[in-house]
Amino acid sequence: MDNPENRKINSTIAAFDAATFNFAQYPDEHGRFGEFGGKYVAETLMEAIGELQDAYATFRNDPEFIREFETDLRDYVGRPSAMYYAARMSEAYGAQIWLKREDLNHTGAHKINNAIGQALLAKRLGKTRIIAETGAGQHGVATATVAARLGLECVVYMGAEDVARQQPNVFRMKLLGAKVVPVESGTRTLKDALNEAMRDWVTNVDNTFYIIGTVAGPHPYPQMVRDFQSVIGKEARAQMLEKTDRLPDAVVACVGGGSNAIGIFHAFLNDKDVALYGAEAGGEGVATGRHAAPLTAGRPGVLHGNRTYLMEDENGQIIGTHSISAGLDYPGVGPEHSWLKDLGRVTYDAITDAEAMSAFHDVMRYEGIIPALESAHAFAYAKKLAPQYGKDKIILVNLSGRGDKDINTVAKMEGINL
Amino acid sequence: MSRISPLFEQLRQQNRTALIPYITAGDPHPDATVGIMHALVEGGADMIELGVPFSDPMADGPVIASAHERALAHHVGLIHVLDMVKSFRETNLKTPVILMGYQNPIEAMGIDRFAELAQAAGLDGVLTVDLPPEEAEPASRAYRAVGIDPIFLIAPTTHAERVRHIAKVASGFIYYVSLKGVTGAANLDTDALAGRLQEIRSDCGLPVGVGFGIRNAETAAAVGKVADAVIIGSALVQLIADSAAGANTDNWAALRQKLQDFMAQIRVALDQKTQN
Ligand SMILES: Cc1ncc(COP(=O)(O)O)c(C=O)c1O
């Protein structure tokens, strides 16, 4: 449930802080967002991470790099993505609902923005081999896509459980020439795929570039992925002003590792009157323990190269997560979100599987759009917020991806045999 | 001061190489670990490296990752590992014991509380795989304050300037990861190793132990000629996995004997250096 206590804190801090705070200054030179972030990796990778950090520090200000990135986003991805007024949904939910259509991107989700950016870096660093982890398979597909386009070898690690529930994407990756490696260790989901990708990277660090799919991992990944994804919010803010002559009252996004959320939030951080909301995966309900909501129900710790909120037991072991959505089924979250939570700038709450399923149907029936199950969490959150905002207020929802990949899961949930 | 520097000083005088076995605490069973530690010492170990089970052992290959999973099936956490060190110390006050693991279990306990309990248990060093010097200072400070050595890794990819920096923040010894990869990877190239160790020594005054890729007496002996310590992990853990399958959980004597014999072989191979 939306926590009114959080909203109060959110608006109080925003009132005297957010408008002037220099968010762009973070992370600091150590890769930290306050106490979060950093570089917690084995020594063997420190050299590669340092190299990446230096390269990225140069290229992020290099006009030639930026031009190439922007050209690819326009001509290959199809950006800018549309901004769409969801009229029937607005009627039903009780606030003006606008959608940022990342589902219309080439490969069907926001993940491609980041994959393009990192692949351009890999090329400039002379790497010949690309590896990635994937949960829902969207990042794997995006990475396989850019690797095919650049003629690079591509290996994608995917938890065995996710391989089973995201078959269409597994096949797409194979068609694109990638090798998909099912990961059988641990909980056989996204976190274990990340472990396996790290193991590959440490072994093949000389020729291999690791394209991480979200704003997690060691510095500079959280910064780099945020920068590549922040095109979402830059476009959305301008489109909102152009179409409605004002800014939205609220922006809502789902949070797995947090890349689509950071991507849309970033351009609005200094707009103190724009409330920002992140929907985590509440699974069967936070009270049951079967969920994937570290910001709502976890505590700070160290995993996968950074300090952030995690789901862990009393011994510091990472605990198994649960969500119908493979892309949200992760026990950690990008460090910048942990920091934005503690700052009070963004409000995070958990959305259950059932709430997301119900919103999934809403999007289909009201708007004729199949949303990804990940994105359905953002819609469910918007549905809860809408009555608090009312008909005059604008809620912008990040539709992070299309849901064709999820129809098998939905059918199974509803006991239908395809 | 911990037991580590005096040990290396003594071995240096005897022109001997330290033998450091690695086992994962709680593998194959929590009740077996302390007995195994004693058996390793009987077999000729100079120091023991005890792995702290973690749900996400990112730097470990399949052999040690499976050992973590076996230990976790018995819910072995950091607090239990410290208990094992404590009970080992009831009859052995001499052999240094270091922990090797990941940062999150330590943070979950609290760095200061961990340091305090580790000192009380008689621990000598802590090697945290995912804690490079850039992130280590708060933990290292707490360890040094209680006389526990913060031990750091140097990798084939670590350049000279970093080696010098690591030498400043580390104490006890340096753990040289002999190859790019996870634990349990293929055999290593001992000639290349010799050159690399020479470079490291010129930048760093601490004893250098070599681990990753040492699986038998021959490699151990070859590495022992150029290193101050030889660390054997995956080969030993694999032996535990093979022997423990179907073993009687009430009686670990056969397993202990097997491990002791394995250590003794390596000990003999290492000590040949002194004789010729
Ligand atoms: C469509 C879609 N949305 C959201 C996510 C979650 O990732 P993030 O939180 O990084 O945006 C995924 C991940 O696979 C996804 O495919």
Short mmCIF file of all heavy atoms in Angstrom, two decimals, chain A residues 108-111 134-140 169 190 213-216 225 229 254-262 325-328 333 337 371-375 398-402 405-406, ligand 1:
data_model
loop_
_atom_site.label_atom_id
_atom_site.label_comp_id
_atom_site.label_asym_id
_atom_site.label_seq_id
_atom_site.Cartn_x
_atom_site.Cartn_y
_atom_site.Cartn_z
N GLY A 108 11.63 -3.90 -28.04
CA GLY A 108 10.46 -3.94 -27.16
C GLY A 108 10.61 -3.51 -25.72
O GLY A 108 9.72 -3.77 -24.92
N ALA A 109 11.71 -2.87 -25.37
CA ALA A 109 11.84 -2.38 -23.99
C ALA A 109 12.90 -1.29 -23.93
O ALA A 109 13.63 -1.05 -24.91
CB ALA A 109 12.19 -3.51 -23.03
N HIS A 110 13.00 -0.66 -22.76
CA HIS A 110 14.01 0.38 -22.55
C HIS A 110 15.43 -0.17 -22.57
O HIS A 110 16.38 0.57 -22.74
CB HIS A 110 13.76 1.07 -21.22
CG HIS A 110 14.01 0.18 -20.03
ND1 HIS A 110 13.25 -0.93 -19.75
CD2 HIS A 110 14.98 0.21 -19.08
CE1 HIS A 110 13.71 -1.52 -18.68
NE2 HIS A 110 14.77 -0.86 -18.24
N LYS A 111 15.58 -1.48 -22.39
CA LYS A 111 16.91 -2.06 -22.21
C LYS A 111 17.85 -1.73 -23.37
O LYS A 111 19.06 -1.65 -23.19
CB LYS A 111 16.79 -3.59 -22.07
CG LYS A 111 16.00 -4.04 -20.84
CD LYS A 111 16.81 -3.91 -19.57
CE LYS A 111 16.02 -4.35 -18.35
NZ LYS A 111 16.74 -4.08 -17.09
N THR A 134 20.76 -11.82 -17.81
CA THR A 134 19.41 -11.35 -18.09
C THR A 134 18.41 -12.07 -17.20
O THR A 134 18.65 -13.20 -16.76
CB THR A 134 19.05 -11.55 -19.58
OG1 THR A 134 17.91 -10.76 -19.89
CG2 THR A 134 18.77 -13.00 -19.93
N GLY A 135 17.31 -11.39 -16.90
CA GLY A 135 16.24 -11.98 -16.09
C GLY A 135 15.08 -12.31 -17.00
O GLY A 135 14.88 -13.46 -17.40
N ALA A 136 14.34 -11.28 -17.39
CA ALA A 136 13.20 -11.49 -18.29
C ALA A 136 13.66 -11.85 -19.69
O ALA A 136 12.89 -12.33 -20.50
CB ALA A 136 12.36 -10.21 -18.33
N GLY A 137 14.92 -11.58 -19.96
CA GLY A 137 15.42 -11.84 -21.31
C GLY A 137 15.45 -10.59 -22.17
O GLY A 137 16.01 -10.59 -23.25
N GLN A 138 14.85 -9.50 -21.68
CA GLN A 138 14.82 -8.27 -22.48
C GLN A 138 16.22 -7.69 -22.65
O GLN A 138 16.59 -7.26 -23.73
CB GLN A 138 13.90 -7.22 -21.84
CG GLN A 138 12.43 -7.53 -21.97
CD GLN A 138 12.01 -7.73 -23.41
OE1 GLN A 138 11.69 -8.83 -23.83
NE2 GLN A 138 12.03 -6.67 -24.21
N HIS A 139 16.97 -7.67 -21.56
CA HIS A 139 18.33 -7.15 -21.67
C HIS A 139 19.20 -8.10 -22.49
O HIS A 139 20.05 -7.67 -23.27
CB HIS A 139 18.94 -6.92 -20.28
CG HIS A 139 20.40 -6.54 -20.35
ND1 HIS A 139 20.83 -5.43 -21.02
CD2 HIS A 139 21.51 -7.15 -19.87
CE1 HIS A 139 22.15 -5.35 -20.94
NE2 HIS A 139 22.60 -6.39 -20.26
N GLY A 140 18.95 -9.40 -22.34
CA GLY A 140 19.70 -10.38 -23.14
C GLY A 140 19.42 -10.19 -24.62
O GLY A 140 20.33 -10.22 -25.45
N ASN A 169 11.97 -15.28 -25.49
CA ASN A 169 13.18 -14.47 -25.52
C ASN A 169 14.44 -15.30 -25.65
O ASN A 169 15.41 -14.87 -26.27
CB ASN A 169 13.26 -13.59 -24.27
CG ASN A 169 12.53 -12.26 -24.47
OD1 ASN A 169 12.23 -11.90 -25.61
ND2 ASN A 169 12.28 -11.55 -23.39
N LEU A 190 17.92 -14.28 -11.64
CA LEU A 190 18.76 -13.19 -12.10
C LEU A 190 20.04 -12.99 -11.30
O LEU A 190 21.12 -12.77 -11.85
CB LEU A 190 17.92 -11.90 -12.12
CG LEU A 190 18.57 -10.62 -12.60
CD1 LEU A 190 19.20 -10.80 -13.98
CD2 LEU A 190 17.55 -9.50 -12.65
N GLY A 213 22.89 -5.00 -17.27
CA GLY A 213 21.60 -4.57 -17.80
C GLY A 213 20.83 -3.59 -16.95
O GLY A 213 19.75 -3.15 -17.33
N THR A 214 21.37 -3.24 -15.80
CA THR A 214 20.62 -2.31 -14.97
C THR A 214 21.58 -1.41 -14.20
O THR A 214 22.80 -1.55 -14.34
CB THR A 214 19.66 -3.08 -14.03
OG1 THR A 214 18.78 -2.14 -13.40
CG2 THR A 214 20.41 -3.86 -12.96
N VAL A 215 21.02 -0.50 -13.39
CA VAL A 215 21.87 0.48 -12.72
C VAL A 215 22.53 -0.09 -11.46
O VAL A 215 22.66 0.59 -10.45
CB VAL A 215 21.07 1.75 -12.35
CG1 VAL A 215 20.87 2.62 -13.57
CG2 VAL A 215 19.73 1.40 -11.72
N ALA A 216 22.93 -1.36 -11.52
CA ALA A 216 23.61 -1.98 -10.38
C ALA A 216 25.05 -2.30 -10.77
O ALA A 216 25.56 -1.76 -11.74
CB ALA A 216 22.85 -3.24 -9.96
N VAL A 225 24.88 3.38 -16.82
CA VAL A 225 23.57 2.90 -17.25
C VAL A 225 22.52 4.00 -17.02
O VAL A 225 21.64 4.21 -17.86
CB VAL A 225 23.20 1.59 -16.52
CG1 VAL A 225 21.82 1.12 -16.93
CG2 VAL A 225 24.25 0.51 -16.79
N GLN A 229 20.20 5.66 -19.89
CA GLN A 229 18.74 5.55 -19.80
C GLN A 229 18.07 6.90 -19.56
O GLN A 229 16.85 7.01 -19.71
CB GLN A 229 18.34 4.58 -18.67
CG GLN A 229 18.67 3.11 -18.93
CD GLN A 229 17.84 2.50 -20.06
OE1 GLN A 229 17.06 3.17 -20.73
NE2 GLN A 229 18.04 1.20 -20.28
N CYS A 254 8.37 1.00 -12.58
CA CYS A 254 8.68 -0.22 -11.83
C CYS A 254 10.18 -0.25 -11.55
O CYS A 254 10.98 0.36 -12.27
CB CYS A 254 8.25 -1.46 -12.61
SG CYS A 254 9.17 -1.76 -14.14
N VAL A 255 10.55 -0.96 -10.48
CA VAL A 255 11.95 -1.03 -10.08
C VAL A 255 12.37 -2.48 -9.91
O VAL A 255 11.91 -3.16 -8.99
CB VAL A 255 12.18 -0.28 -8.75
CG1 VAL A 255 13.64 -0.36 -8.34
CG2 VAL A 255 11.74 1.18 -8.86
N GLY A 256 13.24 -2.94 -10.81
CA GLY A 256 13.90 -4.24 -10.63
C GLY A 256 15.27 -3.90 -10.10
O GLY A 256 15.48 -3.70 -8.91
N GLY A 257 16.24 -3.77 -11.02
CA GLY A 257 17.51 -3.14 -10.64
C GLY A 257 17.35 -1.62 -10.63
O GLY A 257 18.07 -0.91 -9.94
N GLY A 258 16.39 -1.15 -11.40
CA GLY A 258 16.05 0.27 -11.34
C GLY A 258 16.44 1.11 -12.53
O GLY A 258 16.45 2.34 -12.44
N SER A 259 16.73 0.50 -13.71
CA SER A 259 17.24 1.33 -14.80
C SER A 259 16.15 2.12 -15.52
O SER A 259 16.37 3.28 -15.87
CB SER A 259 18.04 0.48 -15.80
OG SER A 259 17.22 -0.44 -16.48
N ASN A 260 14.98 1.53 -15.72
CA ASN A 260 13.95 2.33 -16.39
C ASN A 260 13.45 3.42 -15.45
O ASN A 260 13.13 4.53 -15.88
CB ASN A 260 12.81 1.43 -16.93
CG ASN A 260 11.72 1.14 -15.92
OD1 ASN A 260 10.77 1.88 -15.79
ND2 ASN A 260 11.88 0.05 -15.16
N ALA A 261 13.43 3.11 -14.14
CA ALA A 261 12.98 4.10 -13.16
C ALA A 261 13.94 5.28 -13.08
O ALA A 261 13.54 6.44 -13.22
CB ALA A 261 12.80 3.43 -11.79
N ILE A 262 15.24 4.99 -12.91
CA ILE A 262 16.22 6.07 -12.89
C ILE A 262 16.16 6.85 -14.19
O ILE A 262 16.24 8.07 -14.22
CB ILE A 262 17.65 5.52 -12.67
CG1 ILE A 262 17.91 5.27 -11.20
CG2 ILE A 262 18.70 6.48 -13.21
CD1 ILE A 262 18.08 6.49 -10.34
N SER A 325 7.20 -11.57 -12.23
CA SER A 325 7.94 -10.89 -13.28
C SER A 325 9.43 -11.19 -13.15
O SER A 325 10.07 -10.78 -12.18
CB SER A 325 7.66 -9.40 -13.16
OG SER A 325 8.81 -8.68 -13.51
N ALA A 326 9.98 -11.90 -14.12
CA ALA A 326 11.39 -12.30 -14.05
C ALA A 326 12.31 -11.09 -13.99
O ALA A 326 13.35 -11.12 -13.35
CB ALA A 326 11.74 -13.16 -15.26
N GLY A 327 11.91 -10.00 -14.62
CA GLY A 327 12.78 -8.81 -14.67
C GLY A 327 12.84 -8.06 -13.35
O GLY A 327 13.69 -7.19 -13.17
N LEU A 328 11.93 -8.35 -12.44
CA LEU A 328 11.94 -7.68 -11.13
C LEU A 328 12.43 -8.63 -10.04
O LEU A 328 12.55 -8.25 -8.87
CB LEU A 328 10.54 -7.17 -10.76
CG LEU A 328 9.86 -6.21 -11.75
CD1 LEU A 328 8.53 -5.72 -11.17
CD2 LEU A 328 10.75 -5.02 -12.08
N VAL A 333 19.08 -3.70 -5.58
CA VAL A 333 18.55 -2.59 -6.36
C VAL A 333 19.70 -1.62 -6.59
O VAL A 333 20.66 -1.60 -5.80
CB VAL A 333 17.38 -1.93 -5.58
CG1 VAL A 333 17.83 -1.33 -4.26
CG2 VAL A 333 16.67 -0.86 -6.42
N HIS A 337 19.03 4.37 -6.17
CA HIS A 337 17.68 4.28 -5.61
C HIS A 337 17.72 4.24 -4.08
O HIS A 337 16.88 4.83 -3.41
CB HIS A 337 16.96 3.05 -6.15
CG HIS A 337 16.49 3.19 -7.57
ND1 HIS A 337 15.47 4.04 -7.93
CD2 HIS A 337 16.92 2.62 -8.71
CE1 HIS A 337 15.28 3.97 -9.24
NE2 HIS A 337 16.16 3.12 -9.74
N PRO A 371 1.31 -4.79 -21.89
CA PRO A 371 2.48 -4.29 -21.14
C PRO A 371 3.31 -5.47 -20.64
O PRO A 371 2.78 -6.55 -20.40
CB PRO A 371 1.83 -3.58 -19.95
CG PRO A 371 0.61 -4.38 -19.67
CD PRO A 371 0.13 -4.93 -21.00
N ALA A 372 4.60 -5.27 -20.48
CA ALA A 372 5.42 -6.27 -19.81
C ALA A 372 4.90 -6.42 -18.38
O ALA A 372 4.38 -5.46 -17.80
CB ALA A 372 6.88 -5.83 -19.79
N LEU A 373 5.05 -7.61 -17.80
CA LEU A 373 4.60 -7.80 -16.42
C LEU A 373 5.37 -6.87 -15.47
O LEU A 373 4.84 -6.45 -14.44
CB LEU A 373 4.78 -9.26 -15.99
CG LEU A 373 3.69 -10.21 -16.48
CD1 LEU A 373 4.03 -11.65 -16.08
CD2 LEU A 373 2.33 -9.80 -15.94
N GLU A 374 6.63 -6.56 -15.82
CA GLU A 374 7.40 -5.60 -15.03
C GLU A 374 6.64 -4.27 -15.00
O GLU A 374 6.32 -3.73 -13.95
CB GLU A 374 8.80 -5.40 -15.64
CG GLU A 374 9.75 -6.59 -15.50
CD GLU A 374 9.48 -7.68 -16.53
OE1 GLU A 374 8.75 -7.42 -17.52
OE2 GLU A 374 9.98 -8.81 -16.33
N SER A 375 6.34 -3.76 -16.21
CA SER A 375 5.66 -2.47 -16.32
C SER A 375 4.29 -2.50 -15.65
O SER A 375 3.81 -1.46 -15.16
CB SER A 375 5.49 -2.08 -17.79
OG SER A 375 6.64 -2.41 -18.55
N ASN A 398 5.84 5.06 -16.70
CA ASN A 398 6.83 4.56 -17.66
C ASN A 398 6.44 3.15 -18.09
O ASN A 398 6.53 2.20 -17.31
CB ASN A 398 8.23 4.57 -17.04
CG ASN A 398 9.31 4.47 -18.10
OD1 ASN A 398 9.06 4.70 -19.29
ND2 ASN A 398 10.52 4.13 -17.69
N LEU A 399 6.01 3.04 -19.32
CA LEU A 399 5.68 1.72 -19.88
C LEU A 399 7.00 1.16 -20.42
O LEU A 399 7.36 1.36 -21.57
CB LEU A 399 4.62 1.89 -20.99
CG LEU A 399 4.21 0.66 -21.79
CD1 LEU A 399 4.02 -0.57 -20.94
CD2 LEU A 399 2.94 0.95 -22.56
N SER A 400 7.72 0.46 -19.53
CA SER A 400 9.11 0.12 -19.82
C SER A 400 9.28 -0.91 -20.94
O SER A 400 10.32 -0.98 -21.58
CB SER A 400 9.82 -0.37 -18.55
OG SER A 400 9.10 -1.45 -17.99
N GLY A 401 8.23 -1.73 -21.17
CA GLY A 401 8.40 -2.72 -22.22
C GLY A 401 7.09 -3.38 -22.60
O GLY A 401 6.09 -3.29 -21.88
N ARG A 402 7.11 -4.07 -23.72
CA ARG A 402 5.91 -4.77 -24.19
C ARG A 402 5.85 -6.16 -23.59
O ARG A 402 6.87 -6.75 -23.22
CB ARG A 402 5.89 -4.82 -25.70
CG ARG A 402 7.12 -5.47 -26.31
CD ARG A 402 7.19 -5.27 -27.79
NE ARG A 402 6.15 -6.04 -28.45
CZ ARG A 402 5.76 -5.85 -29.71
NH1 ARG A 402 6.32 -4.88 -30.42
NH2 ARG A 402 4.84 -6.60 -30.25
N LYS A 405 6.36 -11.29 -24.49
CA LYS A 405 7.19 -12.30 -23.86
C LYS A 405 6.50 -12.96 -22.67
O LYS A 405 6.91 -14.03 -22.24
CB LYS A 405 8.51 -11.67 -23.38
CG LYS A 405 8.28 -10.68 -22.22
CD LYS A 405 9.54 -9.98 -21.75
CE LYS A 405 9.27 -8.93 -20.69
NZ LYS A 405 8.75 -9.43 -19.42
N ASP A 406 5.47 -12.28 -22.13
CA ASP A 406 4.87 -12.75 -20.87
C ASP A 406 3.57 -13.53 -21.05
O ASP A 406 2.99 -13.98 -20.06
CB ASP A 406 4.58 -11.56 -19.95
CG ASP A 406 5.87 -10.92 -19.45
OD1 ASP A 406 6.79 -11.67 -19.08
OD2 ASP A 406 5.95 -9.68 -19.45
C1 LIG C 1 10.23 -4.32 -19.60
C2 LIG C 1 11.08 -4.31 -18.40
N1 LIG C 1 10.85 -3.40 -17.45
C3 LIG C 1 11.60 -3.35 -16.34
C4 LIG C 1 12.61 -4.25 -16.10
C5 LIG C 1 13.36 -4.16 -14.82
O1 LIG C 1 14.64 -3.64 -14.93
P1 LIG C 1 14.98 -2.18 -14.45
O2 LIG C 1 14.49 -2.03 -13.06
O3 LIG C 1 16.46 -2.10 -14.55
O4 LIG C 1 14.32 -1.23 -15.38
C6 LIG C 1 12.89 -5.22 -17.07
C7 LIG C 1 13.99 -6.19 -16.85
O5 LIG C 1 14.14 -7.17 -17.49
C8 LIG C 1 12.10 -5.24 -18.24
O6 LIG C 1 12.32 -6.16 -19.19
#
